[in-house]
Amino acid sequence: MNQQYSNWRMSVAPMMDWTDRHCRYFHRLLTRHTLLYTEMVTTGALLHGDVARHLRFDAAEHPLALQLGGSEPADLALAARMGADWGYDEINLNCGCPSERVQRGAFGACLMREPDLVADCVKAMVDSVSIPVTVKHRIGLDHNENYGFVRDFVGTVAKAGCTVFIVHARNAWLKGLSPKENREIPPLRYDIALRLKHDFPRLTIVANGGLRDSSALQAQLQGLDGAMVGREAYHNPWWLAGWDAEFFGATPSTSSRETIEQAMVGYMEREAHEHGTHWSSIARHMLGLYNGLPGARHWRQQWSDHRLKHLPAREVAALAQRSFRPRDADIPALA
């Protein structure tokens, strides 16, 4: 990668139930340089649960960040150290999730009300690991659109040693909206991220929220250090195949959708052999690969058809690929 670019120039957002290790392996086949994030992992899950299940990843996924959820500095320090020991390239603290479940755990977006506590959490993690510790947050809570709120939050947390802030450019409404509505209803205000960059020029500021095409990404990259894409990257993954060339100055990829699919079949076979993972747990992440092409719907149906689960992945791939090949009835008879 051209070193003139920030390590956070392009990234795929952490998304619960979506950006698991299988999804990230798929995304890495599409883009070599984009930073990938795990789903949020709570400190309790690591300190009291199955660590390997939460932290295992394929070496091909690098560069890779672990997002943590928690609010106890000592627990976060220990969890961050575990992440670093497992080989992650970054530890990210979730200060942006508005779900009621996360609020009951006293972390996520509600932490923005307690910048001193977040600073203590960040300092504990920074003191425990040598890899970057970053924060993902909103620009405000509920209907408070006072810029000073997020400015003071960033300033306080930066003093604790965080130099990278991923700014979801919407307020988080902690009451009255579902997590889905919180991604759509509070208005986007990218100008707040720009003001943060102006006020904290030495910090790395990354924009997140509502970025759905390359022109929107380029607009953010004019004044900020990076852009993070969430659901659009998941639903239209082939977009990622152009990112290395467009945003990192790399040689354009020569991979086709079919070669990516075949690489995923190989991965499915390895996962089945090594971990007993059924291919359906992996295939769900690549259902958008052919979006927009004739035959894409039939292709998706093959990979998501529960009646085919008894077949090996390679046979399902062969059935799915027939979606893009002429049927015998469509081939003109030879004279």
Side-chain angles (χ1 to χ4, degrees):
M1 181 175 69
N2 190 323
Q3 290 305 305
Q4 68 174 302
Y5 299 125
S6 160
N7 292 336
W8 290 270
R9 182 170 174 81
M10 290 299 302
S11 56
V12 175
M15 292 176 281
M16 290 300 294
D17 300 321
W18 287 8
T19 52
D20 64 15
R21 61 192 180 89
H22 309 310
C23 173
R24 299 191 306 263
Y25 187 90
F26 172 53
H27 285 171
R28 183 57 71 219
L29 291 174
L30 296 163
T31 169
R32 300 185 303 278
H33 301 307
T34 298
L35 177 60
L36 303 179
Y37 282 77
T38 68
E39 305 169 271
M40 181 185 68
V41 181
T42 66
T43 53
L46 292 182
L47 301 184
H48 309 295
D50 185 341
V51 174
R53 182 172 71 86
H54 291 295
L55 295 187
R56 185 169 73 240
F57 64 90
D58 192 286
E61 294 173 42
H62 289 293
L64 178 62
L66 169 65
Q67 186 183 67
L68 294 176
S71 59
E72 293 291 336
D75 289 351
L76 282 164
L78 182 55
R81 196 174 310 123
M82 293 167 71
D85 289 345
W86 271 76
Y88 284 88
D89 301 301
E90 171 193 337
I91 303 297
N92 178 264
L93 179 62
N94 184 328
C95 292
C97 181
S99 78
E100 291 189 7
R101 180 173 64 88
V102 167
Q103 290 181 57
R104 286 195 296 271
F107 56 94
C110 63
L111 278 177
M112 293 191 70
R113 290 194 182 116
E114 302 182 72
D116 290 330
L117 173 58
V118 176
D120 290 343
C121 292
V122 165
K123 186 177 188 308
M125 291 188 286
V126 167
D127 289 346
S128 297
V129 299
S130 59
I131 57 178
V133 174
T134 69
V135 170
K136 187 174 187 292
H137 61 93
R138 296 287 185 126
I139 58 173
L141 296 179
D142 300 316
H143 297 280
N144 178 7
E145 296 188 351
N146 178 12
Y147 170 68
F149 175 82
V150 67
R151 179 200 61 209
D152 293 348
F153 173 83
V154 169
T156 299
V157 176
K159 290 177 183 176
C162 179
T163 63
V164 179
F165 291 82
I166 301 161
V167 184
H168 187 155
R170 299 182 193 268
N171 276 31
W173 295 2
L174 299 181
K175 299 295 180 183
L177 292 184
S178 69
K180 180 178 185 295
E181 291 170 329
N182 255 296
R183 295 190 297 270
E184 299 169 351
I185 292 178
L188 283 161
R189 294 187 291 147
Y190 299 121
D191 60 298
I192 300 301
L194 283 170
R195 288 185 69 180
L196 288 170
K197 184 62 182 179
H198 177 268
D199 289 346
F200 303 99
R202 295 186 179 180
L203 298 180
T204 295
I205 304 294
V206 177
N208 170 235
L211 300 172
R212 295 190 173 92
D213 56 47
S214 292
S215 62
L217 297 179
Q218 292 288 7
Q220 296 307 313
L221 294 173
Q222 293 302 308
L224 300 176
D225 302 289
M228 173 182 277
V229 182
R231 278 150 179 77
E232 193 66 24
Y234 188 89
H235 290 307
N236 292 298
W238 188 245
W239 184 25
L240 277 64
W243 284 9
D244 289 348
E246 183 171 6
F247 300 112
F248 295 96
T251 303
S253 172
T254 58
S255 296
S256 66
R257 286 177 171 90
E258 188 170 359
T259 59
I260 296 295
E261 182 183 357
Q262 288 303 311
M264 286 302 293
V265 169
Y267 173 74
M268 291 170 183
E269 291 172 338
R270 292 197 305 277
E271 275 291 311
H273 176 71
E274 295 174 7
H275 302 293
T277 308
H278 194 275
W279 59 258
S280 61
S281 299
I282 302 171
R284 70 186 183 96
H285 298 301
M286 65 179 197
L287 295 181
L289 182 60
Y290 289 91
N291 274 0
L293 295 184
R297 181 182 178 187
H298 185 265
W299 180 87
R300 288 194 302 271
Q301 289 173 339
Q302 301 307 301
W303 276 115
S304 55
D305 190 341
H306 70 277
R307 295 170 299 179
L308 302 182
K309 284 187 175 181
H310 67 285
L311 296 178
R314 199 162 292 275
E315 291 186 25
V316 179
L319 290 172
Q321 276 299 314
R322 291 176 60 187
S323 306
F324 309 109
R325 294 174 186 148
R327 308 294 193 275
D328 291 344
D330 299 330
I331 301 175
L334 296 176

